[in-house]
Amino acid sequence: MNKHAIEIQKLYYGFPVILVSFYNRAGIPNLATLSSSFSLGNMICLGFGRGGHAIGAIREVGQFVVNVPDRNLMEAIEICGYSSGAEHDKFALSGLTPVDAVQVKAPLVAECPISLECEVSHLDEEGGYVIVVGSIVQRHIATTLLDDQLHLKNEAVDPVYFVGDHHDRAYRYLAQQQADQKGTFLPARNDVVWR
């Protein structure tokens, strides 16, 4: 495989699009579209631009919800990404529905199949960005994504991925109903014990 060493400003190699919901200091719910996130166990990390409305509200309130939309919500994803929460009520603008959370003071998005209630653990500012490290305190998963034993049906999850560079960015989608179990591609070997 030939490769080029290139100089580019950004590279999005495939991050799930999320809708982060929160209340501002006045108790008004709002949303932000994000693609910079990862989670490990009960820890979640989000990346925000330093001057945005969402990070200001999350900094003040200290709680938020990470909502994972599917491809049926593309219009809402873009509305929330192309408008400012300082100027608009993005729930009203996008037609999404805020629902009370169980453990945090932040709304869930009713239309998103996965919602994670979170509390801010700490903030780290780096250049023009703010990294939010949070604790996941409650998970909500649509019944359509769960089997009879309340285990996640991996093949049913339909996230939207954000890919591209500084020149052009796009959305990518998974093929639904297709998933391979972890370990499926390990070769049979006598000299290695796969863990």
Side-chain angles (χ1 to χ4, degrees):
M1 175 181 307
N2 292 329
K3 296 181 183 178
H4 291 281
I6 61 173
E7 297 295 324
I8 57 175
Q9 297 171 8
K10 297 180 180 183
L11 178 61
Y12 300 99
Y13 50 86
F15 301 96
V17 174
I18 59 175
L19 295 172
V20 179
S21 52
F22 54 89
Y23 287 116
N24 66 16
R25 188 185 332 171
I28 298 169
N30 225 321
L31 295 161
T33 300
L34 230 64
S35 65
S36 298
S37 72
F38 72 91
S39 67
L40 292 169
N42 288 329
M43 179 188 72
I44 192 159
C45 296
L46 309 177
F48 290 88
R50 183 186 294 255
H53 176 73
I55 189 58
I58 290 169
R59 181 178 289 166
E60 289 179 12
V61 177
Q63 298 180 330
F64 58 94
V65 175
V66 171
N67 301 277
V68 182
D70 58 26
R71 73 176 91 187
N72 295 317
L73 296 174
M74 291 308 303
E75 181 177 296
I77 288 169
E78 291 216 311
I79 287 171
C80 294
Y82 280 91
S83 59
S84 169
E87 299 170 7
H88 301 283
D89 172 348
K90 293 187 191 182
F91 274 104
L93 195 62
S94 66
L96 295 174
T97 310
V99 176
D100 289 340
V102 174
Q103 295 195 36
V104 300
K105 185 166 176 42
L108 308 177
V109 176
E111 293 81 2
C112 288
I114 298 173
S115 295
L116 310 173
E117 296 184 35
C118 304
E119 295 179 340
V120 173
S121 297
H122 68 273
L123 303 171
D124 192 11
E125 302 198 25
E126 182 69 34
Y129 302 100
V130 178
I131 306 304
V132 175
V133 178
S135 296
I136 300 169
V137 297
Q138 183 70 59
R139 292 172 177 86
H140 304 268
I141 301 175
T143 56
T144 56
L145 300 182
L146 299 172
D147 65 17
D148 294 340
Q149 297 163 355
L150 301 182
H151 297 144
L152 186 67
K153 294 191 294 189
N154 298 323
E155 70 280 0
V157 179
D158 188 25
V160 175
Y161 285 93
F162 191 65
V163 298
D165 58 19
H166 72 282
H167 172 70
D168 192 23
R169 290 175 288 283
Y171 302 107
R172 292 286 313 265
Y173 312 99
L174 294 177
Q176 280 190 298
Q177 305 304 321
Q178 180 180 341
D180 294 309
Q181 290 300 111
K182 184 178 101 173
T184 299
F185 302 100
L186 290 174
R189 294 184 57 152
N190 293 329
D191 59 333
V192 177
V193 176
W194 305 115
R195 301 190 188 276

